[in-house]
Amino acid sequence: MSVLHRRTLLQAMALAGVGTALKPLALLASATPSVRPMPTGKLADWFILHNDRPWALETRRAAYGIAPITPQSAFFVRNNLPTPPESIIANRDGWRFEVSGVARPGSLTLAELKALPTRVVASVLQCSGNGRAFFPHRPSGSPWSLGAAGCALWTGVRVADVLEHFGGALEEAQYLTATGAEDLPEGVDADQVVVERSIPLDKGMDDCLLAWEMNGEPLPLVHGGPLRLIVPGYYGVNNVKWVRRLAPTAAESGAKIQVSGYRVREVGESGGPQHPSMWRMNVKSWLNGPGGDGGPVVAGKAMLYGVAFSGERGVSRVEVSADEGQTWREADFVGPDLGPNAWRSFVLPVELAAGEYRFVSRATDRQGDTQPADATPNHRGYGHNGWRDAALTVNVVNTLPAAAEPEPGESVHQNAVATPTAAVDTPLSPLAREGRAVYLDRAQPACGACHTLADAGSAGVTGPNLDVLKPGADRVRLAVEQGVGAMPAFDALLTETEIEALAAYVAEATR
Amino acid sequence: MSVLHRRTLLQAMALAGVGTALKPLALLASATPSVRPMPTGKLADWFILHNDRPWALETRRAAYGIAPITPQSAFFVRNNLPTPPESIIANRDGWRFEVSGVARPGSLTLAELKALPTRVVASVLQCSGNGRAFFPHRPSGSPWSLGAAGCALWTGVRVADVLEHFGGALEEAQYLTATGAEDLPEGVDADQVVVERSIPLDKGMDDCLLAWEMNGEPLPLVHGGPLRLIVPGYYGVNNVKWVRRLAPTAAESGAKIQVSGYRVREVGESGGPQHPSMWRMNVKSWLNGPGGDGGPVVAGKAMLYGVAFSGERGVSRVEVSADEGQTWREADFVGPDLGPNAWRSFVLPVELAAGEYRFVSRATDRQGDTQPADATPNHRGYGHNGWRDAALTVNVVNTLPAAAEPEPGESVHQNAVATPTAAVDTPLSPLAREGRAVYLDRAQPACGACHTLADAGSAGVTGPNLDVLKPGADRVRLAVEQGVGAMPAFDALLTETEIEALAAYVAEATR
């Protein structure tokens, strides 16, 4: 393989750019008070922590294997609201969900659901914001790079069979709407925060599942156990967790997460029904190794490997380039093909001399769509699939340094509970002191109702833990003015000066 | 489905017979001193503990899911010798193994191996003794019922590609011989205990892998990580763990585990090269639910589910009977077909009135082999595939008892460390007191060199922990006279009286 593009490690690191967004958990766990122990079954070493309240855990590049299944221990987590309590999986079979919008509305327990025809389907779950960190306009939301995605086998019952059980969908139905069972924060309009999503009913009838098993295990709580919706080939948000209601509906849900959230629009524009919803996942691929952990790789033969997928379509070809796309070589698929919504693993043998490489991969799906070099910027940083940003930087050396570090993920389960550390007392600026009052009193609902912030003594668990997020003032201002995800916009409720002060406060208090 | 065969729960339990062999771990963990914490990633609730030194963990029937992959958390464990220390996975890529019997003998590190062509293959791992508990002659060895089997995706490099890398196998080679890296106990002839197995070289060249990944995770230590041999469709023992040497050889290995162990022969006969080796797995299936945990199932519709496989062949049909095989109904396969060495999940809808049912399943493979009603008895209880013994007993009730117990596997990771409890001082019989002297001194190598036995103050870790095993006197006598697995026969070394005394001692001391 000819290598036209090479640079020093330092240059590569500087160019990678997203470095600061990727906080290794181990680091955070020791530096930050109040990080919760990992969810059951998760191996801390395999994640980048974006937030712990609610959970936002990104799979590290080096944690992906070559088999086309992502194990529970390394599967990314993104919860919109706090995870429901463990008690909801104490008696899984007793879980009950309602079905309306059908000839004979009613409810089923999971035990009853299990008596309907069983299916097992492989599908990629991917957060709409996967790749957000690569967009230069720095959109709000967790700065995922590549690891907000995984592929699993899901066991469940087709939505079509569930609706048939209740006499079928009413005639006027155009959408399938699913509602999650998360506890909603008090003092906030339910429609602002409820996780309720709609997809076209045809899609729902075609291949969607209500699933209770993930990779042969009872669906873990943090992934929506006892029961979640699986929408094969659609972005994660549509795969509603902890389903308590399923309904064919004439219109899309009126919840904010549907009406204005997860809509693709120009940078700076507010989302609305006129914008496309984050439904089918576009064609995408990336390389995971060797050297995905940033460690050196010894010169000689090497096998590049990665994953490729396209919602509902499957992929037909993956190519790899070592010269930023000037020349490409076709990679080989390995392992069983688990279906059009799963990802496929690919490999490509290369021969590497010492130096610095940037490898990129480009997938083409079965309908002929090929990944673009660069993703189209959009306000919230959704649907990134540009091949350039996903480059794998490999540092090839002639000999390894004497004492090689153990690989990540090698240690035993490290469900690290952070040791609370005393906050350093940095005096707040006058503006920030004013912002503290806004945080504590003037904003309604109060900031602390949803956020944890040690300086303010608040311990809300609905929105991001600000002590972990450590947002800059600009990010706070943007979120407060426009809202982010479940967070409402406060632009009509606070003055510009108040917002300015609040932004200064949160930034300074978490510095 | 007509139900001709029904009986009360008590009758069913009495008839099941193997009940006493299946010790739930939770029970053992509290009743027995010195049970070790579970291996990393294993969920204690999902296993029946047969032994902890070396590990013998059987997957509970209710722990199997419907997807055709068995997760790490529930995958059975059977180690012939003590698990090597964690240190061997501290630097996985640095693991080195030798290759001889080739044109250019040499060695490779795992990092170097990873540069050869990558493959991903699904294959069932099953212990040769799976189903041993069902044989009426009570063969020596762990009394596995159904759960010494699992199906996984293995990532590795073909043995054929490894041998080619070293110039190819020498002409005289007929077998592929792999050697494990377990520490061998001192004072015992290495050939007596070393885990070294041979398979036909053609098989080795055809589809065997040296694998470092299991279901997308780095191969867990207890499953042979960093590197094991995968022999698709062959019984577990051939899939040598912690491979330190691979060699095409003119003859089969001279290790006891190959020469006389894992040989199918008549009950009472000693094993030898004239008997068939435990290579290809025969056709087999069983049902796992509903009600696989023994709990009641509510009357009405239900979906039976289970797994079916046949080494190298795949299965073409599974039938289910509720009347001990008088009538059969064909089940449906569900989920992706992962290949001829994987198992397939099957389901069958039934309608159940209250009562007691015994369901059996019968698979037919793609070469037309069908499971027999009863397995052929053989000395060590290998290769059980009779459908009758594998019956799933389901207790169907009209309403569930008020306070349903949580399902197994629901609790958070329970890597229970047993609390050492004071041994109850039961006086030994005069014969047993004599046997104690045999245990401590007269047997050579000394019993305690390999076995843990609190009463004798011995803490060997090579053979079964006798405090956990609690073998009856007959079982001890048989093992001492004939040897079991890695244990040599002592019939030439001890007198009949000494063996009798030793048997009494071990039985009484662990009662």
Side-chain angles (χ1 to χ4, degrees):
Chain A
M1 177 171 243
S2 80
V3 178
L4 302 180
H5 198 96
R6 223 180 259 191
R7 63 170 77 96
T8 68
L9 179 60
L10 278 177
Q11 279 175 316
M13 284 174 66
L15 282 163
V18 298
T20 51
L22 307 181
K23 311 160 194 168
L25 181 59
L27 221 104
L28 263 176
S30 59
T32 310
S34 79
V35 171
R36 298 193 290 163
M38 295 295 282
T40 304
K42 300 290 173 195
L43 216 50
D45 286 350
W46 286 355
F47 293 101
I48 298 153
L49 175 75
H50 291 298
N51 218 281
D52 66 336
R53 298 156 204 235
W55 283 114
L57 295 171
E58 175 172 353
T59 306
R60 290 168 59 128
R61 196 167 198 156
Y64 288 108
I66 302 179
I69 286 295
T70 312
Q72 221 290 80
S73 55
F75 210 100
F76 86 102
V77 179
R78 192 279 193 253
N79 289 350
N80 279 277
L81 290 171
T83 318
E86 291 273 342
S87 59
I88 75 165
I89 55 166
N91 175 12
R92 288 173 181 263
D93 277 351
W95 180 259
R96 187 175 287 281
F97 64 99
E98 285 172 26
V99 180
S100 55
V102 287
R104 299 184 300 272
S107 72
L108 278 179
T109 62
L110 177 50
E112 290 160 350
L113 179 71
K114 286 179 177 175
L116 300 184
T118 314
R119 307 282 165 152
V120 180
V121 168
S123 180
V124 170
L125 266 196
Q126 182 187 209
C127 181
S128 303
N130 197 25
R132 179 179 286 135
F134 298 128
F135 285 107
H137 65 287
R138 299 178 60 88
S140 297
S142 292
W144 310 104
S145 53
L146 296 164
C151 184
L153 286 162
W154 308 96
T155 303
V157 165
R158 287 177 62 203
V159 165
D161 290 325
V162 174
L163 299 186
E164 194 196 310
H165 178 85
F166 290 101
L170 295 180
E171 212 170 283
E172 64 270 28
Q174 297 291 323
Y175 297 93
L176 178 77
T177 299
T179 315
E182 294 96 333
D183 274 338
L184 304 184
E186 283 182 29
V188 184
D189 176 28
D191 266 353
Q192 289 289 318
V193 288
V194 67
V195 178
E196 183 174 274
R197 285 285 301 181
S198 302
I199 55 169
L201 183 58
D202 286 351
K203 170 68 179 175
M205 296 292 285
D206 184 36
D207 63 357
C208 293
L209 296 182
L210 283 174
W212 60 82
E213 207 185 273
M214 179 181 181
N215 287 341
E217 277 185 308
L219 186 57
L221 176 66
V222 82
H223 291 297
L227 189 68
R228 80 179 296 173
L229 183 65
I230 292 296
V231 184
Y234 273 36
Y235 284 98
V237 68
N238 302 287
N239 299 255
V240 172
K241 304 185 188 81
W242 315 293
V243 170
R244 66 172 167 87
R245 198 166 64 96
L246 191 72
T249 50
E252 295 186 33
S253 166
K256 178 164 176 280
I257 199 172
Q258 181 78 20
V259 176
S260 60
Y262 295 89
R263 299 279 179 175
V264 185
R265 70 270 191 183
E266 306 263 312
V267 176
E269 211 172 313
S270 292
Q274 71 278 22
H275 302 119
S277 220
M278 290 303 290
W279 283 339
R280 196 189 75 78
M281 293 187 283
N282 54 20
V283 61
K284 186 163 180 173
S285 73
W286 66 83
L287 288 153
N288 284 316
D293 60 354
V297 169
V298 176
K301 286 185 180 182
M303 188 65 65
L304 300 177
Y305 64 91
V307 294
F309 59 101
S310 182
E312 300 183 327
R313 298 181 182 179
V315 286
S316 56
R317 191 172 72 233
V318 179
E319 300 154 292
V320 172
S321 174
D323 54 14
E324 297 286 332
Q326 295 183 56
T327 59
W328 296 91
R329 272 181 64 199
E330 191 161 343
D332 294 316
F333 292 120
V334 286
D337 182 350
L338 302 179
N341 296 299
W343 65 32
R344 293 221 62 183
S345 306
F346 64 86
V347 295
L348 183 75
V350 288
E351 183 108 26
L352 304 174
E356 195 67 31
Y357 299 75
R358 259 175 66 91
F359 293 107
V360 292
S361 68
R362 179 176 78 172
T364 299
D365 71 22
R366 294 210 182 123
Q367 290 194 23
D369 274 7
T370 297
Q371 278 182 261
D374 298 295
T376 311
N378 62 86
H379 188 69
R380 293 299 313 283
Y382 291 139
H384 189 288
N385 70 339
W387 53 253
R388 196 191 316 273
D389 290 332
L392 172 71
T393 300
V394 183
N395 173 27
V396 179
V397 297
N398 284 317
T399 46
L400 280 185
E405 286 296 306
E407 289 177 9
E410 293 300 329
S411 57
V412 288
H413 278 254
Q414 224 189 52
N415 287 333
V417 186
T419 324
T421 51
V424 182
D425 246 335
T426 319
L428 295 173
S429 68
L431 182 65
R433 280 203 301 276
E434 227 176 285
R436 195 169 194 272
V438 179
Y439 186 98
L440 290 172
D441 297 321
R442 266 175 267 167
Q444 283 307 326
C447 305
C450 288
H451 295 282
T452 290
L453 177 56
D455 184 90
S458 78
V461 293
T462 304
N465 178 343
L466 297 172
D467 294 318
V468 173
L469 194 66
K470 299 183 187 301
D474 284 356
R475 192 165 170 191
V476 178
R477 193 182 311 107
L478 214 65
V480 173
E481 280 173 4
Q482 305 182 357
V484 188
M487 176 170 169
F490 284 77
D491 56 342
L493 307 167
L494 296 173
T495 66
E496 260 180 58
T497 321
E498 284 171 330
I499 293 175
E500 197 69 25
L502 181 56
Y505 169 59
V506 173
E508 290 184 25
T510 60
R511 213 165 28 195
Chain B
M1 176 172 245
S2 79
V3 177
L4 302 179
H5 198 95
R6 223 180 259 190
R7 62 169 77 96
T8 68
L9 179 59
L10 279 177
Q11 280 176 313
M13 284 174 66
L15 282 162
V18 296
T20 50
L22 306 182
K23 310 162 195 169
L25 181 60
L27 220 104
L28 263 175
S30 59
T32 310
S34 79
V35 170
R36 297 193 292 163
M38 295 294 282
T40 303
K42 301 289 173 194
L43 216 49
D45 287 349
W46 286 356
F47 294 100
I48 299 153
L49 175 73
H50 291 298
N51 217 281
D52 66 335
R53 296 154 204 239
W55 283 113
L57 295 171
E58 176 171 353
T59 306
R60 291 170 58 129
R61 197 167 197 156
Y64 288 108
I66 302 179
I69 285 295
T70 313
Q72 222 288 83
S73 55
F75 210 101
F76 87 102
V77 179
R78 192 281 194 255
N79 288 350
N80 279 276
L81 289 172
T83 317
E86 291 272 341
S87 59
I88 75 165
I89 55 166
N91 174 13
R92 289 174 180 263
D93 276 351
W95 180 259
R96 187 175 286 281
F97 64 99
E98 285 172 24
V99 179
S100 55
V102 287
R104 299 184 298 273
S107 72
L108 279 179
T109 63
L110 177 49
E112 290 160 350
L113 180 70
K114 286 178 175 175
L116 301 185
T118 313
R119 308 281 165 150
V120 180
V121 168
S123 180
V124 171
L125 265 196
Q126 181 186 211
C127 180
S128 303
N130 198 25
R132 179 180 286 134
F134 299 128
F135 286 106
H137 65 288
R138 300 178 59 86
S140 297
S142 292
W144 310 104
S145 54
L146 295 165
C151 185
L153 286 162
W154 309 96
T155 303
V157 165
R158 287 177 64 204
V159 165
D161 289 324
V162 175
L163 299 187
E164 195 195 310
H165 177 85
F166 290 101
L170 296 179
E171 211 169 284
E172 64 270 27
Q174 298 289 323
Y175 297 92
L176 178 76
T177 299
T179 314
E182 294 96 332
D183 274 337
L184 304 184
E186 284 181 29
V188 183
D189 176 28
D191 267 352
Q192 287 290 316
V193 289
V194 67
V195 178
E196 182 174 276
R197 286 283 301 179
S198 302
I199 56 169
L201 182 59
D202 286 350
K203 170 68 179 173
M205 295 292 285
D206 184 36
D207 63 358
C208 293
L209 296 183
L210 283 176
W212 61 82
E213 208 186 270
M214 178 181 182
N215 287 338
E217 278 184 309
L219 186 58
L221 176 66
V222 82
H223 291 297
L227 189 69
R228 81 179 295 173
L229 184 64
I230 292 296
V231 184
Y234 274 35
Y235 284 98
V237 68
N238 303 288
N239 298 255
V240 172
K241 303 185 189 82
W242 313 295
V243 170
R244 68 172 166 88
R245 198 165 64 95
L246 190 73
T249 51
E252 295 186 34
S253 165
K256 179 163 175 281
I257 199 171
Q258 180 80 17
V259 176
S260 60
Y262 295 88
R263 299 280 179 173
V264 185
R265 70 272 191 182
E266 306 262 312
V267 175
E269 211 172 314
S270 293
Q274 72 277 22
H275 302 119
S277 219
M278 291 303 290
W279 284 338
R280 195 188 74 80
M281 292 187 284
N282 54 20
V283 61
K284 186 164 180 173
S285 73
W286 65 84
L287 288 153
N288 285 316
D293 60 355
V297 169
V298 176
K301 286 185 180 183
M303 189 65 65
L304 300 176
Y305 65 90
V307 293
F309 59 101
S310 183
E312 301 183 326
R313 297 181 184 179
V315 287
S316 56
R317 192 171 75 233
V318 178
E319 301 154 293
V320 172
S321 174
D323 55 13
E324 297 285 334
Q326 293 181 59
T327 59
W328 296 92
R329 273 180 63 199
E330 191 161 343
D332 293 317
F333 292 120
V334 285
D337 182 350
L338 302 180
N341 295 299
W343 65 31
R344 293 221 60 183
S345 306
F346 65 88
V347 296
L348 183 75
V350 289
E351 182 107 28
L352 303 174
E356 194 67 33
Y357 299 75
R358 260 175 64 91
F359 293 106
V360 293
S361 68
R362 180 176 76 173
T364 299
D365 71 23
R366 294 210 181 123
Q367 290 194 22
D369 274 8
T370 297
Q371 279 182 263
D374 298 295
T376 311
N378 61 85
H379 187 70
R380 292 300 312 282
Y382 290 139
H384 189 289
N385 71 339
W387 53 253
R388 197 191 315 274
D389 291 332
L392 172 71
T393 301
V394 182
N395 172 29
V396 179
V397 297
N398 284 317
T399 46
L400 280 185
E405 288 293 308
E407 290 178 9
E410 294 300 331
S411 57
V412 289
H413 278 254
Q414 226 189 50
N415 288 333
V417 186
T419 324
T421 52
V424 182
D425 248 333
T426 320
L428 296 173
S429 68
L431 183 64
R433 281 204 300 277
E434 228 176 283
R436 194 168 195 275
V438 178
Y439 186 97
L440 291 171
D441 296 320
R442 264 175 270 166
Q444 284 306 327
C447 305
C450 287
H451 295 283
T452 290
L453 178 56
D455 184 273
S458 79
V461 293
T462 304
N465 178 343
L466 297 171
D467 294 318
V468 173
L469 193 68
K470 297 184 189 303
D474 285 358
R475 192 165 171 190
V476 178
R477 193 183 311 109
L478 215 64
V480 173
E481 280 172 5
Q482 304 182 358
V484 187
M487 176 170 169
F490 285 76
D491 56 342
L493 308 166
L494 297 173
T495 67
E496 262 179 57
T497 322
E498 285 172 330
I499 293 175
E500 196 70 25
L502 180 58
Y505 168 61
V506 174
E508 291 184 26
T510 60
R511 209 165 33 195

